[in-house]
Amino acid sequence: MNTKNDAARAERLKAALRDNLRRRKAQGRARAETSPENAAETPPGDAGAPPEPTGEPGSQA
């Protein structure tokens, strides 16, 4: 490839990455607006974790 093609490719990639970032930010803002109460209840990364044992008698299955 020559430098003209490389520069054009770099510009297209830069524009695509910028558009992707804008779209993802908009999606994140939309999700935050629709369910702010859910964000406080479930910490990130713990959505699929089983409940921890409480240590109370009879709480074992």
Side-chain angles (χ1 to χ4, degrees), residues 46-54 59:
D46 288 346
E52 295 183 17
T54 58
S59 64

Side-chain angles (χ1 to χ4, degrees), residues 9-37:
R9 182 176 183 266
E11 282 298 316
R12 288 192 309 270
L13 179 60
K14 188 172 151 180
L17 290 172
R18 188 171 45 245
D19 291 342
N20 188 23
L21 180 60
R22 286 182 187 146
R23 185 172 53 251
R24 292 184 60 153
K25 282 186 174 184
Q27 287 174 345
R29 284 191 295 266
R31 287 185 186 133
E33 289 175 1
T34 57
S35 61
E37 66 278 353

